[in-house]
Amino acid sequence: MERSVITLNRFILEEERRYPEATGAFSNVLQDLTLAAKLINRAVNQAGLVDILGETDRENVHGEQVQKLDEYAHEVIVAAMDHGGHLCVMGSEEAEEIVPIPDRFPVGEYVLLFDPLDGSSNIEANISIGTIFSVYRRVTDPAVTRNGTLEDCLQPGTDLVASGYFLYGSSTILVYTTGRGVHGFTLDPSIGEFLLSHPNITFPDPGQKVYAINEGYFGRWSEAQRNLVRRLRGDAGGDDGDGFKLRYVGSLVADFHRTLLYGGLFMYPSDNRHPSGKLRLLYEAGPLAFVCEQAGGKATNGEKRILEIRPEELHQRTPLFIGTAEWVEMAGEHLAREAAAGA
Ligand code: P6P
């Protein structure tokens, strides 16, 4: 007997009924975004068969080689989202400037920020990659400026209306929150629908003792960060140290999703080549931090709550410590103790 089939649309409608203040506008944003994700999913799944692999001759704003799939994903999302009349502006990790709503389309009260295809350099090795998104309310006055502005994009995570990600992996899953818990939907390709598969996701307690970090950069870290990793991997010997295993995919959405479902501590600290960290505050750390906290976890930059960082630049980077609350706290306390001792 099949479990009751709850499609994403049905779930959204039922959520709207439960929370009368919820307008249908956000629901339409999520439904339009889901169409874009299905198109990206199809391209990702066929990537080896059509001429969409490999690099373009462009570098993005971060000096990184743009993958053809990055460009495709960016264009698909903009095309799916620019005409619905629910957004006043967009921001994309693949676009240096804000993405305006064309004059021929109406504007709305929401702002959409997205990383169209995070981890795309892994696609040729068939490693899971993802789309990460954030939704904010407009803060500027439409009577003054029709289009949303940079100010509408530079909002702290505490003002998020919704955030989440699509993970294109062994199956394609959507995980999102609107501030009322975290819910996961798995795409059933036979009917092209996202079906509720992970209602009310929360970090397991206890969670698996797993840490995720690129240990290849050990030589680039502060001594305090090195000592934290030495502690986690049990260099001191004895009772197997803190007994943590290491898992690192190198694709943020895959690493975060595993951390969310199994427990663990993901770290991308600053280092001597990335003094502000590598990951982007608005496109990666912020949206995942909202999901993380809604699932009972924590997310910091090593000392400060990610959601409370007020962005000053569209592509601002941040160190990221995210996962099981107990271990994010432990990491922060360790780093603070060593800073106080002058490490
Ligand atoms: P590194 C992918 O390029 C990405 O932006 C994230 O998905 C991932 O967590 C990180 O970079 C991996 O970076 O330096 O470990 O290869």
Side-chain angles (χ1 to χ4, degrees):
M1 179 68 180
E2 282 205 359
R3 289 185 307 171
S4 66
V5 173
I6 298 182
T7 63
L8 175 62
N9 290 355
R10 176 177 162 185
F11 183 85
I12 290 172
L13 287 174
E14 289 174 355
E15 285 288 285
E16 271 178 34
R17 288 187 199 125
R18 288 176 63 198
Y19 303 97
E21 77 280 8
T23 67
F26 166 67
S27 307
N28 293 329
V29 169
L30 189 56
Q31 282 157 354
D32 290 350
L33 192 55
T34 303
L35 171 63
K38 290 176 186 175
L39 293 170
I40 294 168
N41 178 62
R42 182 178 62 180
V44 167
N45 290 343
Q46 295 174 351
L49 304 173
V50 297
D51 177 26
I52 198 163
L53 275 181
E55 297 175 342
T56 65
D57 55 2
R58 284 192 326 107
E59 283 192 351
N60 66 13
V61 59
H62 316 290
E64 297 159 341
Q65 201 64 37
V66 175
Q67 305 287 327
K68 289 179 182 174
L69 264 175
D70 284 325
E71 206 162 61
Y72 172 79
H74 168 83
E75 289 164 3
V76 160
I77 293 174
V78 170
M81 304 307 297
D82 66 359
H83 57 280
H86 309 295
L87 303 177
C88 64
V89 67
M90 289 186 264
S92 169
E93 197 243 6
E94 289 300 327
E96 184 162 357
E97 307 300 334
I98 60 175
V99 179
I101 300 301
D103 292 342
R104 66 184 182 282
F105 298 134
V107 294
E109 64 171 304
Y110 290 103
V111 177
L112 176 68
L113 304 179
F114 57 92
D115 183 351
L117 208 56
D118 183 82
S120 56
S121 57
N122 294 305
I123 184 68
E124 297 203 39
N126 216 33
I127 291 167
S128 300
I129 56 181
T131 296
I132 309 170
F133 63 91
S134 296
V135 180
Y136 289 94
R137 285 200 195 300
R138 173 176 199 158
V139 293
T140 57
D141 181 350
V144 174
T145 53
R146 172 193 178 272
N147 276 12
T149 68
L150 181 60
E151 181 187 353
D152 291 302
C153 299
L154 298 181
Q155 297 186 52
T158 45
D159 292 346
L160 276 164
V161 168
S163 74
Y165 56 87
F166 294 89
L167 176 60
Y168 311 105
S170 51
S171 63
T172 293
I173 187 169
L174 160 64
V175 173
Y176 81 92
T177 183
T178 59
R180 302 179 186 108
V182 176
H183 309 287
F185 300 78
T186 300
L187 179 64
D188 179 339
S190 69
I191 56 173
E193 284 283 359
F194 279 95
L195 304 181
L196 183 63
S197 52
H198 299 71
N200 297 305
I201 300 174
T202 56
F203 276 91
D205 181 17
Q208 287 186 15
K209 295 176 78 169
V210 175
Y211 75 101
I213 192 168
N214 188 332
E215 286 236 11
Y217 301 157
F218 192 89
R220 301 182 190 173
W221 300 331
S222 69
E223 190 57 25
Q225 181 64 43
R226 291 177 191 162
N227 287 335
L228 171 59
V229 169
R230 289 185 180 113
R231 174 177 168 188
L232 289 169
R233 66 188 187 195
D235 284 14
D239 62 349
D240 188 24
D242 278 282
F244 279 68
K245 292 185 293 186
L246 172 62
R247 291 284 184 276
Y248 191 73
V249 179
S251 187
L252 178 60
V253 177
D255 278 315
F256 176 74
H257 189 64
R258 180 201 61 249
T259 303
L260 175 66
L261 293 191
Y262 295 170
L265 171 61
F266 174 93
M267 297 176 280
Y268 204 113
S270 59
D271 61 41
N272 60 18
R273 294 193 195 175
H274 297 102
S276 301
K278 174 185 181 184
L279 301 177
R280 288 78 175 191
L281 173 61
L282 281 172
Y283 299 111
E284 294 162 320
L288 297 185
F290 188 28
V291 171
C292 177
E293 289 198 3
Q294 281 291 309
K298 282 192 183 287
T300 72
N301 64 1
E303 47 188 291
K304 184 175 181 183
R305 187 179 172 221
I306 288 288
L307 293 184
E308 291 179 353
I309 299 174
R310 179 169 289 279
E312 292 168 6
E313 295 167 15
L314 203 51
H315 297 280
Q316 182 170 326
R317 296 173 189 266
T318 177
L320 180 62
F321 294 72
I322 191 168
T324 299
E326 175 189 354
W327 296 324
V328 173
E329 287 168 358
M330 178 269 283
E333 288 159 5
H334 175 100
L335 296 172
R337 192 165 49 251
E338 295 226 8

